[in-house]
Amino acid sequence: MPGARAIRRRALALLAIVPIRRYRSVTAAGAAADSPPTLAIRLDLILLETLNRVSFRKVTSGTSDVVVTMTTHGSRIKTVHLALESIARGTRRPSRLILWLDDETLASNLPRSLRRLKRRGLEVVLVENGYKVHTKYYFYVQSIQHHARSLLTSDDDIVYPRRWLQSLEAAHAVTPDYVICYRAHSIQVAADGLALYNTWTPCSTSEPSFRTFGTSVSGQLFPAGFLDYVRSQGDSFKEITPDADDVWLHSLAVHSGVRVSQLGGSPILFPFVPGTQASGLYLTNFWDGGNDRQIAKAYSASDVERIRSDDSRRGEPPEGYGGTPCE
């Protein structure tokens, strides 16, 4: 149709100038809230839907050395494209963007929204069932003998801001050996071990520490060298932390001497896709003590001592690191 490309260009230019400005710093208890979206979030969701229908832009870029992975399940297959589109519209795009599915029915009946994303470079991969939340990273980690690229895990229910990947890449360039995240807890230690999970406090520093417990909900970047260690540990999480990927990955970081750093001085939780928080593992892991049972299995006595003795204030953060991300 005459003028269609010009109309599309103008539409994409309009979408590019409307940022997400609502970020929230929350406690663990507030993380499952599914409150009504603000007008700004509603507008951004409409824009993401529009992008999905009109954009020809590739979701990946050859200039990045970061792979972004995600998984989804059940009814969320209908809305996962919003989280993916929010990543694809970023100022920086990943080298690969992978959606792992462990349900053959979902994989063989993809909604149009995901088929459109596949044409733009999204990889949708069907894998074996039974790995639960670990699906988002496990199959990628196992697929590569020696990792040269970092891995950034993402969630299917989050609307990510445009500088999401850019800010993490910048921090990783300065401190390439740390796990870096947007949202973390500060682990509390009791006399006989780690304190209960619901007593852990929001992290208030960007200084790397074993005490910093990253959560993948807002994004967590794992360096390539650490991925080799994760690969070597196989799937023993099935017995130790079947429903807590963050616990497993943090315990492996402590085992291997890799500290975690939060990007900025306070946790950031990005907006949820509406209607996605009514149920989930959070209700069991946080309120029913599921995390504590899995934590007790994951951390050895030497791990606990390493966490206890780590001085999370060893000095000022490296120059150029920290600050306010995703402005």
Side-chain angles (χ1 to χ4, degrees):
M1 185 178 74
R5 290 187 180 276
I7 293 172
R8 184 179 292 109
R9 284 196 299 269
R10 287 196 293 270
L12 294 178
L14 175 62
L15 299 179
I17 65 173
V18 183
I20 294 177
R21 298 187 181 279
R22 301 296 183 92
Y23 308 132
R24 293 178 290 163
S25 297
V26 298
T27 62
D34 194 6
S35 56
T38 65
L39 179 61
I41 300 306
R42 289 181 185 274
L43 175 59
D44 201 56
L45 292 169
I46 292 172
L47 296 177
L48 291 172
E49 286 282 7
T50 305
L51 273 175
N52 183 256
R53 293 172 185 272
V54 306
S55 179
F56 292 146
R57 188 191 194 213
K58 294 283 291 183
V59 302
T60 57
S61 170
T63 64
S64 176
D65 287 326
V66 177
V67 175
V68 175
T69 63
M70 183 185 295
T71 189
T72 195
H73 63 279
S75 62
R76 288 190 180 185
I77 195 74
K78 300 176 182 178
T79 57
V80 66
H81 67 286
L82 297 171
L84 291 165
E85 284 288 358
S86 71
I87 295 170
R89 57 95 180 262
T91 55
R92 291 281 292 172
R93 289 165 289 161
S95 60
R96 297 175 67 186
L97 180 58
I98 310 172
L99 177 66
W100 305 95
L101 299 178
D102 63 3
D103 185 325
E104 187 173 358
T105 300
L106 293 182
S108 61
N109 295 278
L110 294 178
R112 290 182 179 179
S113 56
L114 289 180
R115 297 203 299 270
R116 287 191 283 263
L117 279 162
K118 281 188 67 178
R119 289 195 290 269
R120 292 161 52 202
L122 172 69
E123 301 173 49
V124 180
V125 184
L126 176 64
V127 293
E128 181 183 350
N129 186 278
Y131 290 81
K132 301 182 179 181
V133 292
H134 298 271
T135 302
K136 74 175 66 169
Y137 73 87
Y138 175 76
F139 292 97
Y140 172 75
V141 168
Q142 293 297 317
S143 70
I144 296 174
Q145 184 70 31
H146 179 69
H147 288 271
R149 294 174 175 173
S150 299
L151 176 67
L152 174 52
T153 55
S154 60
D155 275 13
D156 63 347
D157 55 356
I158 298 294
V159 179
Y160 294 98
R162 286 186 176 83
R163 289 184 59 195
W164 178 68
L165 176 55
Q166 179 182 345
S167 295
L168 286 168
E169 281 184 324
H172 177 63
V174 177
T175 54
D177 298 325
Y178 299 140
V179 175
I180 305 171
C181 61
Y182 277 105
R183 179 176 178 269
H185 308 314
S186 180
I187 298 176
Q188 303 302 301
V189 184
D192 57 349
L194 301 184
L196 294 177
Y197 181 78
N198 63 10
T199 68
W200 297 3
T201 58
C203 182
S204 60
T205 177
S206 62
E207 180 72 3
S209 174
F210 294 127
R211 283 180 176 264
T212 299
F213 179 90
T215 67
S216 291
V217 61
S218 291
Q220 193 164 196
L221 187 148
F222 301 95
F226 176 65
L227 297 180
D228 289 338
Y229 180 72
V230 175
R231 185 181 189 278
S232 72
Q233 301 306 298
D235 63 359
S236 51
F237 55 76
K238 286 185 172 182
E239 298 297 325
I240 301 171
T241 61
D243 299 315
D245 55 323
D246 288 339
V247 171
W248 176 248
L249 291 170
H250 182 267
S251 70
L252 294 187
V254 175
H255 295 340
S256 60
V258 176
R259 289 182 169 86
V260 181
S261 178
Q262 179 176 268
L263 185 59
S266 61
I268 295 177
L269 179 62
F270 302 119
F272 286 117
V273 174
T276 57
Q277 304 303 299
S279 62
L281 284 173
Y282 173 86
L283 300 176
T284 298
N285 283 350
F286 185 79
W287 293 113
D288 194 36
N291 271 340
D292 291 316
R293 290 190 290 273
Q294 293 172 96
I295 286 168
K297 295 180 179 180
Y299 296 90
S300 66
S302 60
D303 294 333
V304 173
E305 185 54 36
R306 175 172 278 184
I307 293 170
R308 185 196 307 274
S309 61
D310 194 31
D311 180 1
S312 64
R313 306 278 185 178
R314 290 183 309 280
E316 294 300 319
E319 183 178 353
Y321 189 61
T324 303
C326 290
E327 293 175 349

